[in-house]
Amino acid sequence: MAGGLLRVVFWNARGLGAAVTGAKREWLAGRLEAERPAVVVLCEVSGNFGAMKKLRSWARLRLKYDMRFLVGEGDGAVNGIVVLVDYEQGSFGKYKRLEERVLGFEGCHKTDAQQRAYVGLHGLGGTAFERQLDEATEWLREHGGGLALGDFNHVPCRRWRTSGRALDPQDRRMRRFCGSVCEVSCCGGFARAVGGRGAAGRVVGGAGV
């Protein structure tokens, strides 16, 4: 907790091998050792259960982080999700596979003695993405709110794409999940809600606003 903000980070690791040592793992170690975020969510981590256990041991001994994980599904156990909590700043509560490439977990934070709900999500295509958001929404609702972090692969506003193409059904579902975010009336006439808030939630940027 620095300046009243809890530091939580997300990184698409783009094929980080859970049992592979190398430049990518060292980069991650350097960033975490320098910045010490309380909670870290990684997606696109490759490796079976045994490989993930090796990564967990490395995180505990080298980084002083506890770790939970969701092994990737399908051939090669790719696209796994890893979540880390700094031992000095907190601990894990419950955690649960909510859907393919969706992991719900609780973080118990020492600084303010609060428990918070989180979701790590790596977006799929088609109706599978809608199922992902449904399960993430239910987990957060059960906990009275929380924070979803991920590479969603869909957007709530067409201006978030360089092409500017119209929102598809999955984008519109994403929009309902995170609330109105448009700076102007650009997506079917919807205006930006006050503070970026919508009925379901709001987008949180890197500065925590």
Side-chain angles (χ1 to χ4, degrees):
M1 186 85 58
L5 295 177
L6 185 70
R7 187 181 296 274
V8 180
V9 301
F10 170 84
W11 181 42
N12 184 326
R14 295 191 178 276
L16 172 69
V20 178
T21 60
K24 186 171 289 189
R25 183 187 282 195
E26 286 305 307
W27 180 90
L28 175 63
R31 292 295 298 269
L32 298 188
E33 289 168 346
E35 300 180 13
R36 301 309 299 180
V39 177
V40 181
V41 177
L42 307 173
C43 76
E44 288 198 22
V45 181
S46 302
N48 59 20
F49 188 84
M52 288 291 195
K53 287 179 65 177
K54 291 179 180 178
L55 184 64
R56 184 173 61 189
S57 295
W58 175 80
R60 182 181 69 250
L61 298 173
R62 166 75 183 273
L63 304 179
K64 311 304 180 187
Y65 276 84
D66 198 5
M67 173 178 148
R68 300 292 184 268
F69 58 86
L70 181 63
V71 173
E73 300 178 30
D75 295 339
V78 297
N79 288 318
I81 293 178
V82 164
V83 295
L84 303 163
V85 170
D86 180 5
Y87 279 115
E88 292 188 356
Q89 299 184 64
S91 60
F92 282 105
K94 296 178 182 178
Y95 63 99
K96 179 182 179 182
R97 177 196 181 276
L98 304 178
E99 183 56 67
E100 183 179 355
R101 289 166 40 172
V102 186
L103 179 61
F105 63 101
E106 299 168 348
C108 306
H109 301 288
K110 294 180 180 179
T111 303
D112 59 359
Q114 295 295 311
Q115 178 173 284
R116 294 177 174 86
Y118 299 92
V119 171
L121 188 154
H122 187 194
L124 294 165
T127 58
F129 180 65
E130 298 178 26
R131 292 195 300 272
Q132 288 180 305
L133 286 191
D134 286 344
E135 293 301 325
T137 298
E138 184 61 25
W139 174 266
L140 296 175
R141 183 179 291 123
E142 289 174 357
H143 287 80
L147 181 63
L149 303 97
D151 182 347
F152 295 93
N153 289 317
H154 302 280
V155 300
C157 173
R158 65 181 178 85
R159 288 176 176 260
W160 288 25
R161 287 198 179 97
T162 56
S163 67
R165 69 175 174 83
L167 301 182
D168 63 24
Q170 284 68 51
D171 295 327
R172 290 193 290 272
R173 179 65 183 86
M174 179 73 182
R175 185 184 184 87
R176 292 197 301 274
F177 180 72
C178 67
S180 179
V181 298
C182 297
E183 296 291 347
V184 295
S185 180
C186 59
C187 295
F190 292 103
R192 181 184 175 92
V194 176
R197 294 178 185 274
R202 66 187 177 100
V203 173
V204 180
V209 296

